[in-house]
Amino acid sequence: MDIDALRAGQPRAVARAISGVERGGASARAIIAAIFRFTGRAHLIGITGAPGTGKSTLVNEIAKQYRRRGKRVGIVAVDPTSPFSGGAILGDRLRMQDLSGDPGVFIRSMATRGNLGGLASTTADAVKILDAAGFEIVLIETVGAGQNEVDIAKNAHTTIVVQAPGLGDDIQAIKAGILEIADLLIVNKADHDEVSATVAALEMNLNLKPMQENDWRPPVLKTIALKGEGVADAVDWIGKHRAYLEDNHLLAQRERARVRAELEMVVQRELVTRLLGGVNGSKVEMLVEKIAARELDVYTAAERLVQEKL
Amino acid sequence: MTDRPIRVLIAKPGLDGHDRGAKVVARALRDAGMEVIYTGIRQTPEMIAEAALQEDVDVVGLSILSGAHMDLFPRIVAQLKQKNVDDVLLVCGGIIPEDDLPTLKQMGFAGVFGPGTSTQDLAQFIRDQIGARAGA
């Protein structure tokens, strides 16, 4: 890998490096080992929300705003892999065509490749590459997320949860999960009906949370991403959130939390790979048969496999 | 053997808006286990080459029904070359007269798939070609 070309942001080098980390294994580890010293400079911004709320269109507009403000922007957009075929349709780029031809923007589509939680298991590594390549802003768009895909909060400094009008009432708004991870709440498609009801439900939920003096209260913002309306204000708010994190020494704290989560994940992945790597396929099949025939319960079967490997 | 799903860019260059065929192909390749970056209609040669570059795809598939392929395709090939994307498999489909086939092959298109192509045949063609390259 050509580190100098990568650090200079040359698209071919960046693209190849991302493919490298997606492949995993020893070469992926070598790439990360070579670049990690050059990471930690970008502001990582997560964008999540239900399918069809306008995440990709919003990412397009946010990127345009940052370009006007002189920042180079890297984008990682994740879409789901089919659980049946292993294939995927990666369609986020389609909404970001305004950005094409701009050498200050790099867009990469990723498939989840079986990972749950809203991101691919290698998304954090792809983000590191964009960071090392000098993109000051990295926008990470999750798969269309429902209630529980909250991994983005561990991977970003600022998390934006995008909602659209008419998708749920005030009970949905007080449920645990995705709304809790928001640093900014954006109600997109604000030219549709029921906007004020959606905003009111989100505000009410925020009002129910006891606040300490220095707590960040997520703003509830309205945008019409297709027309670019409200996006400049949203980008100002991202800046305010960044300043809040810095002023309260939370950036370092978040960074440590992020690194800890990543370390645990990598250890888990490695352990699972090494443990399962040598498991006898026919043994697994035999156990599956026994469990399906109700001769053995799943915990006992799992215990046998683990014992055998340890 | 490739150690990742085959990545395919499906794009429609030029001004024709008939994207049913491109969507059918995208969906079929998805079901064949490939990762399909779908950029849709009205793509300029520059946009297509840029997407192929950033997405580091193995295959670029172009769908065109407007008759402008002999004008647009050379520009796409030139743009890809200019960006050093010199190792992708090029395929195309749509309404393409037989007379143009030799020129397209010369230009670097490994496969030209007209109406009536079986999507399984297309997926198999891509797998074979990519497999042969990886083995080479």
Side-chain angles (χ1 to χ4, degrees):
Chain A
M1 185 189 51
D2 185 344
I3 289 275
D4 292 334
L6 175 74
R7 290 193 65 201
Q10 282 180 23
R12 181 77 162 165
V14 175
R16 281 286 152 95
I18 294 178
S19 300
V21 295
E22 272 195 302
R23 278 196 181 87
S27 62
R29 286 198 290 272
I31 292 170
I32 296 301
I35 62 146
F36 83 94
R37 282 177 292 134
F38 310 114
T39 64
R41 290 169 205 172
H43 186 182
L44 314 183
I45 302 164
I47 294 95
T48 189
T53 47
K55 290 184 295 300
S56 303
T57 309
L58 198 57
V59 165
N60 178 56
E61 291 298 322
I62 290 173
K64 275 158 69 183
Q65 274 293 330
Y66 276 116
R67 291 301 292 144
R68 277 185 214 126
R69 299 175 191 203
K71 305 284 190 198
R72 296 177 67 230
V73 182
I75 298 171
V76 180
V78 189
D79 266 328
T81 292
S82 162
F84 303 109
S85 74
I89 299 279
L90 310 176
D92 293 326
R93 197 182 185 96
L94 175 67
R95 324 280 179 192
M96 303 178 191
Q97 309 209 349
D98 293 354
L99 304 171
S100 83
D102 181 347
V105 176
F106 187 101
I107 306 170
R108 182 61 174 248
S109 314
M110 294 183 93
T112 55
R113 297 192 184 170
N115 199 51
L116 301 175
L119 299 173
S121 64
T122 51
T123 298
D125 290 338
V127 168
K128 285 191 196 88
I129 285 162
L130 292 173
D131 186 351
F135 292 96
E136 297 144 302
I137 300 292
V138 178
L139 303 171
I140 310 159
E141 180 186 339
T142 73
V143 303
Q147 295 178 309
N148 208 26
E149 288 89 344
V150 295
D151 283 0
I152 186 63
K154 288 181 223 147
N155 283 279
H157 299 119
T158 302
T159 301
I160 301 174
V161 176
V162 185
Q163 302 264 295
L167 282 184
D169 59 10
D170 49 347
I171 302 304
Q172 295 299 340
I174 62 172
K175 284 188 182 171
I178 198 163
L179 289 175
E180 289 182 279
I181 64 170
D183 298 308
L184 270 69
L185 282 157
I186 291 185
V187 181
N188 190 36
K189 308 192 184 183
D191 48 350
H192 287 205
D193 292 342
E194 296 183 44
V195 182
S196 49
T198 304
V199 171
L202 294 171
E203 290 281 7
M204 180 211 72
N205 176 49
L206 291 170
N207 290 338
L208 292 176
K209 186 183 173 192
M211 300 284 280
Q212 308 294 326
E213 193 179 341
N214 256 339
D215 282 356
W216 171 263
R217 186 187 193 280
V220 182
L221 308 170
K222 286 188 278 191
T223 58
I224 307 169
L226 263 184
K227 298 180 189 162
E229 284 177 29
V231 179
D233 188 37
V235 170
D236 289 344
W237 271 100
I238 295 170
K240 284 179 206 169
H241 182 251
R242 170 94 190 186
Y244 162 81
L245 292 176
E246 282 170 357
D247 293 347
N248 293 282
H249 311 290
L250 292 171
L251 208 56
Q253 199 178 312
R254 278 202 181 199
E255 184 64 10
R256 281 192 179 70
R258 192 188 65 70
V259 168
R260 180 168 295 118
E262 191 180 11
L263 181 63
E264 283 172 9
M265 185 200 74
V266 172
V267 169
Q268 273 181 22
R269 202 164 61 197
E270 285 299 311
L271 282 176
V272 167
T273 313
R274 283 177 204 192
L275 276 175
L276 290 185
V279 165
N280 187 331
S282 57
K283 173 104 193 219
V284 172
E285 282 311 311
M286 188 195 80
L287 289 170
V288 166
E289 285 305 319
K290 284 195 172 168
I291 298 165
R294 303 296 185 274
E295 290 167 18
L296 198 64
D297 74 280
V298 69
Y299 287 99
T300 309
E303 183 63 25
R304 273 190 208 172
L305 278 180
V306 172
Q307 282 299 338
E308 186 175 322
K309 287 304 294 181
L310 292 176
Chain B
M1 262 299 284
T2 50
D3 46 2
R4 65 164 184 176
I6 295 171
R7 280 169 73 88
V8 187
L9 175 71
I10 297 288
K12 280 193 63 72
L15 294 177
D16 96 76
H18 302 280
D19 57 0
R20 178 66 65 92
K23 284 175 179 158
V24 167
V25 167
R27 170 67 203 260
L29 296 182
R30 182 203 91 173
D31 290 341
M34 301 180 197
E35 290 180 359
V36 182
I37 293 105
Y38 185 76
T39 56
I41 60 172
R42 296 199 198 101
Q43 300 286 299
T44 64
E46 289 80 7
M47 290 162 95
I48 291 168
E50 183 182 59
L53 172 73
Q54 295 182 351
E55 301 289 355
D56 194 22
V57 291
D58 307 296
V59 185
V60 173
L62 304 171
S63 161
I64 194 159
L65 295 97
S66 66
H69 50 279
M70 294 311 274
D71 174 46
L72 287 165
F73 285 7
R75 287 168 53 199
I76 294 166
V77 171
Q79 280 290 325
L80 287 168
K81 274 218 180 80
Q82 197 198 318
K83 291 182 171 25
N84 287 323
V85 182
D86 44 16
D87 53 357
V88 289
L89 175 70
L90 283 171
V91 293
C92 61
I95 305 299
I96 292 170
E98 221 161 273
D99 290 354
D100 296 336
L101 294 186
T103 320
L104 289 173
K105 294 257 163 168
Q106 222 167 24
M107 227 183 272
F109 284 86
V112 179
F113 299 90
T117 302
S118 131
T119 53
Q120 271 107 352
D121 290 350
L122 172 62
Q124 196 53 50
F125 177 84
I126 290 174
R127 265 192 226 109
D128 291 347
Q129 291 278 324
I130 297 294
R133 280 166 187 233

